[in-house]
Amino acid sequence: MKIFQIQSDNPQQIPHLYFSDEQQMHFYTDLISIKAQNSKPISNQWQPTAILNLQTDIGKLTIANKTFWVITEKVKTAIEPLLKDRVEYLPLINRKNVHKIISRIKQITHKKIFQPIIASIHEEQQYLLHILDIKEEHDAIDFENSNLQYDIEEEHILEVNKLVFEKEAIQDSHIFKINNPGLYFQMATFVSEAFKDVVERNGFSGVDFERC
C-alpha cells in the first residue's frame, strides 16, 4: 500500500483563523492545537469561525507547530465515501455568512478594517478536517526498515530520513497522523494512494503529495 505525505503546494500562503478577541484566540488555540490532537471527537465543542487567506480547494492551517487541513464543500463530497468516520468535518464561516462573526453594523461602521478581512474569506463552504485516525508510533512505524533519529530520553523522533510503515497498521487507512511529540510528526499528515487519486482526478487545488 503506497502512502504519501500531503503538503501545501504554496508554502508562502499562511492562512489563519479569525479571532474577534483574545478570549476567542485562546479558545481555538486550546481546542485545535491541544484537544484535536487525539482521536476523540470535538464537534460538540466546536464554534464555527472563518479561515482567512485561503482560496484553494484544500489548504494547510498551522497552529502552535501543528498542521490541520481545510477543505471546501466539493472536496468533502468527494472524500466522504473514502474517509467515512475517520474524520470530523468542522464547519467554517464562508463569505456569504460572515455576518455571523462580524456584525453588519461593524461591516458598515468599520469598513476599512473589515473589508479586506471579508475579501480574504472563501466564497465556498469550508470545513476544518479533524483527523480521528491517530496511530501510535510503535504500532505504525517499521523501525527496523526506517531511518530515524530518535531521542530515547525525550521519546521524540527528531529527524526522518526514511519512513516505512507496518502494513497491517495502515491497512484501510486513507488519512492518518502519528502520535509522537517530535516536530516532524506534529506537522505531518499521511494519506493513501486512493486519497491522492481522488484529489488529482477532481483537479482539487492547494496540495502536493510526497511518497513515503
Side-chain angles (χ1 to χ4, degrees):
M1 183 177 180
K2 295 178 182 177
I3 296 296
F4 300 81
Q5 186 176 162
I6 184 172
Q7 300 175 334
S8 170
D9 68 1
N10 182 8
Q12 306 305 316
Q13 180 177 252
I14 307 177
H16 55 92
L17 289 169
Y18 172 77
F19 308 125
S20 62
D21 53 39
E22 190 173 340
Q23 184 177 356
Q24 269 199 356
M25 181 187 71
H26 289 305
F27 169 79
Y28 287 111
T29 301
D30 177 63
L31 182 64
I32 296 175
S33 68
I34 300 174
K35 294 180 181 177
Q37 285 299 295
N38 57 47
S39 57
K40 295 180 181 178
I42 61 169
S43 56
N44 62 340
Q45 302 170 66
W46 179 248
Q47 297 176 18
T49 187
I51 297 288
L52 310 183
N53 303 322
L54 180 58
Q55 300 296 326
T56 53
D57 298 316
I58 307 173
K60 184 173 80 170
L61 175 69
T62 302
I63 299 179
N65 289 329
K66 297 177 176 67
T67 294
F68 301 88
W69 295 95
V70 177
I71 63 172
T72 59
E73 183 73 47
K74 61 185 178 183
V75 177
K76 177 177 178 287
T77 300
I79 65 176
E80 266 186 311
L82 188 67
L83 302 188
K84 300 178 181 177
D85 60 353
R86 302 291 184 93
V87 299
E88 284 186 307
Y89 303 94
L90 305 175
L92 296 161
I93 300 294
N94 62 2
R95 198 182 304 170
K96 179 182 177 181
N97 295 308
V98 74
H99 61 276
K100 294 181 179 180
I101 54 173
I102 303 173
S103 71
R104 290 190 172 93
I105 295 296
K106 283 185 177 181
Q107 292 181 47
I108 294 170
T109 56
H110 300 285
K111 188 175 181 179
K112 288 185 178 181
I113 295 173
F114 289 110
Q115 194 172 41
I117 292 174
I118 294 169
S120 74
I121 299 172
H122 207 299
E123 291 183 341
E124 290 186 48
Q125 176 62 52
Q126 291 176 301
Y127 299 86
L128 183 70
L129 202 60
H130 177 210
I131 299 169
L132 300 176
D133 192 354
I134 312 293
K135 301 184 183 299
E136 296 301 321
E137 62 180 65
H138 55 270
D139 294 328
I141 298 175
D142 178 350
F143 282 93
E144 185 175 343
N145 292 300
S146 296
N147 183 351
L148 312 169
Q149 289 189 19
Y150 198 95
D151 186 323
I152 297 176
E153 186 174 326
E154 296 292 333
E155 297 185 343
H156 285 201
I157 294 176
L158 302 175
E159 187 176 328
V160 177
N161 299 309
K162 180 184 177 183
L163 184 60
V164 179
F165 293 103
E166 296 285 358
K167 292 180 180 178
E168 290 185 2
I170 61 171
Q171 190 174 9
D172 299 323
S173 291
H174 296 290
I175 187 166
F176 63 92
K177 296 180 77 68
I178 301 294
N179 183 24
N180 181 274
L183 182 60
Y184 177 89
F185 286 108
Q186 292 295 306
M187 299 289 286
T189 303
F190 304 97
V191 300
S192 67
E193 188 172 22
F195 182 97
K196 175 177 175 287
D197 288 346
V198 169
V199 170
E200 293 179 342
R201 185 169 62 246
N202 286 277
F204 295 140
S205 62
V207 292
D208 286 326
F209 299 93
E210 181 179 339
R211 175 79 182 273
C212 292

